[in-house]
């Protein structure tokens, strides 16, 4: 019987029943969402972390002891057996690839290279001439196309090379079976020893590719590396597998007879740190949402129960006992809450499923686990507890009071609850402001506690203000204001609604502001690390070869730019030095938003005028010199000082100095494509340190018989390089040189074709004792420290991050080439920055120009990955919680209007009979709801922004890693405006719907008795 009455009541009040059901479903969904979304987001972080890694970072390898006679195939069979016996590890890795490598010197240039055997090598290279090696034919090798050009090798011809073991060379001879290019240098097939210049390359290879063979017996050096590498199966490691797999790999490394290793356990540990940050932040935003859902459910049930007050009173008058009355009063709501549990479970899973498809990594699946069922049960218990609390007052009210509709008062209990909120908020703010601990659980609850405190304040203040304003509006004759204030001041539901709206809008303001700041920083981080739309990491023999190759591949200069990166360690921090091509920088670079200037401004500021440079091509270089004084116990020699980035600085002797006028000349080798004139050198006889004196004048310099424009008559065109010993000298216009030497140092005269200090754009502090200095010196591309001037400062620069410099790569190359052979440097990373509109053929054109691409980085990919990092996934939920909170609050407003619509229509109809026009009544309703919605909008939004400003520094915005960029607390341009506009549009829709209800307040309603 009781169940029949309950079902009839639900059907009779089907509109209100649907509202209660929906709210209960939302509460259950919010409870389920925490474990469901958390686990899915953790799975997404794991998948992205592994997929973003290079294959060599996730593979498992076995290395044999370095001894002659080890066969890679034997090691491969043993490793397969080990993994077959340990399926807990083996099932995550694909088939292994065995290989071996030895160091060799090859060609007349004696280029250092690797002689490499790799299993199934012919499947991973493209043969451009000849054929692939045949294991049945001893001595056959494959050469890279550019390597063959360098050493002058031809297909089918024998080629001598030497195997290097501990400095000892053993001669061998091979036959060039064919020329090849790798199909994909980024393929995991090449393993952790990326022989094309990737991370882990065991040697600084001067060729563009290793010497390859398909026969393991051809690689026989005693110290060769014999290895088997097993690539990780993409997507095979799930969330439940990660911790166990890391432990099993470590155990395998300890127990295996071969040298076994993998970087995967360390990577999984780093990913776990990101997941922990996610786990800690998601419940702190889901909890306020759950509490808000329960509170709105409380309001709905309380309103429904109050409306049923006469029915409950009649039940009491008819003799219902306490238990039966409670069942009668709670039955409808409890049935709806119980029905909401499975629906809420499905909704929470559905939301997580939608999130997995929209923002999580590919392949993430939503799992139905015991945690979700437990959360559903918690939601049931919380919902039923809320129903009991919402109905308790009505159920305990005497029958006569219910029939007279006397509103209950519970000021003391309300004051106690408000006092608890104030106390908790004060403690949370103390943790944030005084103690400075913004990461504790209580401190992180400061934002929702402030929202709740603001809601209580608005509720109290709005009620008091409205009651006082009634009399003022009446005395002033403002009827709409009087009607609105009367409704706001006397209806208890208004107090509840204003609190809910304020809390919801505060949460929306907080989440929107945090999201906007995070979005700004994600874009800024992508710009800072990416540098351009796409960046190729490439191989080149030297910086000038890189510049020349890019010029050949992109002669227009609109699509690609050569760049050089150097990392130095200064004062406990890494300093990144990036050389850019100012003529192309503005066409390809992405200048981080928020930083001063533009890409073109930066290019203009760092560009160095090199029009004064003098190029020497030969075949002969000459100097016409008049020696006025020569006093030396031994011979002195004049030399030309030239340099090229690929060969380094050289001194070309021109002849022994003699008193009188003469032409000193000599052939300049290896300058057919152009050498840069650095200056002149007065050379001492080796080992001599006796005093000497010489006065001379250089009247003309000639290259190939043609006079060079070297500005001999200008004051600052030629400068001495200060000797390290006590030698003194002077250089005056007309290139008059006077030297008095007392040591063994040569005396150098530098041609000033570039400034002494190169202009730079600096990110971060100056690498100097004075961290704010505008001039500094540091070791960059060359062998000695160089001088730099700061022409612009930035908080962040492309490919530099927060600490580094941008400079003119052309000027840096020639400046460094004065004292270093840049082709021998293995601490330099070569890059090509690519514009978004670059043709698809650019990569192939770079390869044809001798610039081999070994890695591809994309700004769009980086930004996408940052959008799926742990902080972004947590902030997505923050934003969703804010939006849902406002939707719940708007729903509560509409629910309140719907529940009291009959009584409200009766009141308005009576006022119409009393003579008030419909226009005045509508104006009163508009004013009422403008105040009810507007005050929480302003107060809640303001409190949300203030709490965001208070807590934003405690919330990871872009990455949980320790090396993340320092965040910039600046809002994005659209987030707050979009949220505010949509909220106001929603409020306008609410007012329109409410006005539609009151338009039905026809005086004929009074004939039916009103209520």
């Amino acid at each position: 019987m009781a169940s029949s009455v309950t079902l009839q009541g639900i059907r009779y009040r089907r509109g209100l029943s649907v509202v209660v059901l929906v709210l209960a479903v939302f509460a259950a969904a919010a409870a389920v969402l925490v474990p469901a979304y958390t686990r899915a987001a953790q799975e997404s972080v794991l998948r992205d972390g592994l997929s973003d890694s290079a294959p060599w970072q996730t593979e498992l390898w076995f290395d044999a002891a370095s001894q002659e006679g080890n066969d890679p195939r034997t090691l491969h069979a043993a490793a397969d057996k080990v993994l077959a016996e340990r399926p807990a590890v083996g099932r995550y890795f694909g088939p292994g690839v065995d290989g071996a490598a030895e160091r060799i010197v090859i060609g007349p240039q004696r280029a250092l290279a690797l002689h490499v055997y790799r299993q199934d090598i012919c499947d991973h290279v493209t043969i451009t001439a000849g054929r692939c090696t045949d294991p049945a034919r001893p001595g056959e090798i494959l050469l890279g196309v550019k390597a063959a050009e360098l050493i002058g090798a031809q297909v089918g011809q024998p080629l001598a090379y030497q195997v290097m073991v501990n400095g000892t060379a053993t001669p061998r001879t091979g036959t060039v079976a064919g020329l090849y290019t790798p199909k994909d240098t980024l393929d995991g097939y090449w393993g952790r020893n990326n022989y094309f210049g990737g991370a882990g390359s065991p040697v600084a290879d001067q060729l563009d590719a290793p010497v390859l063979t398909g026969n393991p017996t051809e690689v026989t050096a005693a110290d060769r590396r014999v290895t088997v590498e097993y690539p990780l199966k993409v997507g095979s490691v799930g969330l439940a597998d990660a911790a166990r797999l890391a432990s099993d790999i470590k155990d395998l490394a300890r127990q295996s007879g071969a040298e076994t290793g993998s970087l995967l356990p360390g990577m999984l540990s780093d990913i776990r740190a990101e997941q922990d940050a996610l786990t800690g932040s998601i419940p702190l935003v889901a909890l306020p949402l759950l509490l808000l859902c329960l509170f709105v459910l409380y309001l709905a049930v309380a309103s429904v129960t109050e409306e049923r007050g006469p029915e409950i009173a009649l039940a009491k008058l008819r003799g219902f006992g306490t238990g039966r009355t409670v069942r009668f009063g709670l039955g409808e709501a409890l049935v709806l809450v119980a029905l909401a549990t499975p629906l809420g479970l499905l909704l929470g899973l559905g939301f997580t499923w939608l999130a997995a498809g929209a923002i999580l990594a590919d392949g993430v699946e939503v799992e139905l686990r015991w945690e979700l069922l437990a959360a559903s049960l918690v939601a049931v218990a919380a919902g039923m507890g809320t129903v009991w609390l919402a109905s308790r007052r009505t159920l305990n009210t005497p029958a006569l009071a219910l029939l007279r509709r006397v509103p209950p008062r519970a000021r003391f209990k309300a004051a106690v609850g408000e006092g608890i909120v104030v106390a908790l908020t004060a403690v949370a703010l103390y943790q944030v402001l005084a103690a400075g601990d913004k990461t504790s659980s209580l401190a992180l609850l400061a934002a929702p506690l402030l929202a709740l405190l603001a809601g209580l304040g608005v509720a109290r203040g709005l009620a008091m203000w409205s009651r006082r304003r009634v009399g003022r509006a009446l005395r002033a004759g403002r009827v709409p204001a009087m009607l609105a204030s009367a409704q706001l001041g006397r209806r208890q539901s208004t107090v509840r609604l204003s609190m809910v709206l304020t809390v919801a809008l505060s949460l929306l303001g907080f989440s929107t502001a945090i999201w906007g700041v995070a979005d700004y920083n994600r874009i800024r981080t992508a710009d800072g690390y990416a540098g351009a739309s796409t960046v190729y990491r490439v191989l080149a023999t030297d910086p000038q070869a890189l510049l020349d190759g890019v010029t050949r591949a992109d002669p227009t200069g609109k699509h690609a730019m050569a760049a050089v990166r150097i990392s130095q360690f200064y004062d406990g921090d890494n300093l990144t030095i990036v050389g850019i091509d100012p003529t192309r920088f503005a066409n390809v670079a992405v200048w981080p938003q928020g930083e001063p200037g533009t890409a073109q401004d930066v290019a203009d500021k760092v560009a160095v005028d090199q029009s004064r440079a003098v190029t020497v091509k030969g075949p002969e270089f000459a100097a016409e010199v008049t020696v006025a004084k020569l006093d030396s116990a031994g011979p002195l020699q004049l030399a030309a000082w030239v340099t090229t980035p690929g060969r380094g600085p050289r001194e070309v002797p021109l002849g022994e100095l003699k008193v009188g006028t003469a032409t000193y000349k000599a052939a300049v080798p290896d300058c057919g494509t152009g050498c840069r004139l650095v200056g002149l050198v007065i050379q001492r006889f080796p080992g001599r340190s006796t005093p000497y004196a010489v006065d001379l004048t250089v009247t003309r310099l000639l290259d190939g018989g043609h006079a060079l424009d070297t500005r001999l008559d200008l004051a600052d065109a030629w400068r001495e390089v200060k000797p390290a010993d006590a030698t003194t000298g002077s250089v005056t216009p007309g290139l008059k040189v006077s030297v008095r030497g007392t040591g063994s140092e040569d005396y150098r005269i530098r041609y000033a074709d570039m400034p002494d200090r190169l202009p730079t754009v600096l990110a971060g502090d100056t690498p100097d004792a004075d961290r704010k200095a505008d001039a500094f010196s540091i070791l960059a591309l060359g062998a000695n420290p160089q001088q730099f001037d700061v022409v612009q400062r930035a908080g962040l620069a492309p490919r530099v991050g927060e600490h580094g410099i941008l400079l003119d790569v052309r000027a840096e190359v020639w400046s460094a080439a004065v004292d270093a052979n840049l082709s021998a440097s293995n601490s330099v990373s070569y890059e090509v920055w690519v514009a978004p509109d670059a043709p698809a053929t650019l990569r192939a054109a770079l390869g044809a120009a001798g610039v081999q691409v070994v890695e591809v980085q994309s700004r769009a990919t980086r930004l996408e990955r940052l959008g799926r990092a742990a902080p972004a996934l947590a902030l997505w939920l923050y934003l969703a919680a804010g939006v849902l909170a406002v939707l719940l609050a708007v729903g509560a407003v509409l629910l309140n209007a719907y529940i009291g619509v009959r009584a409200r229509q009766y009141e308005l109809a009576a006022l119409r009979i009393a003579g008030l026009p419909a226009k005045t009544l509508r104006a009163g309703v508009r004013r009422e709801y403008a105040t009810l919605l507007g005050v929480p909008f302003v107060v809640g939004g303001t409190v949300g922004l203030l709490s965001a400003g208070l807590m934003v520094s405690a919330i990871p915005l872009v990455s949980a890693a320790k090396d993340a960029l320092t965040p910039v607390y600046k809002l994005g341009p659209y987030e707050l405006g979009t949220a505010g506009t949509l909220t106001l549009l929603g409020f306008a829709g609410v007012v329109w719907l409410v006005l539609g209800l009151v338009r039905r307040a026809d005086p004929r309603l009074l004939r039916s008795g009103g209520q």
Side-chain angles (χ1 to χ4, degrees), residues 4 31 37 79 151 258 279 319 430 505 507 545 602 729 787 878 911:
S4 175
Y37 182 82
I151 62 180
T279 305
Y430 174 81
L505 288 163
L507 292 178
V602 171
Q787 305 292 320
Y878 276 51
L911 292 172

Side-chain angles (χ1 to χ4, degrees), residues 82-164:
V82 169
L83 292 182
E85 294 172 351
R86 294 172 174 82
V89 175
R91 66 190 180 94
Y92 296 103
F93 294 93
V97 177
D98 57 67
E102 61 186 1
R103 295 174 176 85
I104 64 173
V105 173
I106 190 168
Q109 295 82 2
R110 295 187 57 79
L112 182 64
L114 285 179
H115 184 206
V116 173
Y117 155 74
R118 200 79 178 160
Q119 178 185 347
D120 301 325
I121 193 72
C122 294
D123 296 336
H124 296 274
V125 297
T126 300
I127 303 300
T128 60
R131 56 176 176 78
C132 198
T133 60
D134 184 352
R137 297 185 180 184
E140 287 195 342
I141 59 175
L142 295 175
L143 289 177
V145 174
K146 295 298 178 182
E149 294 179 3
L150 175 66
I151 62 180
Q154 300 291 328
V155 173
Q157 292 183 351
L159 181 64
Y161 60 93
Q162 294 175 313
V163 178
M164 305 300 297

Side-chain angles (χ1 to χ4, degrees), residues 902-920:
R902 291 292 295 175
R904 190 65 181 276
Q905 288 173 346
Y906 178 79
E907 293 174 3
L908 294 175
L911 292 172
R912 288 281 304 277
I913 294 295
L916 290 180
K919 180 178 180 182
T920 301

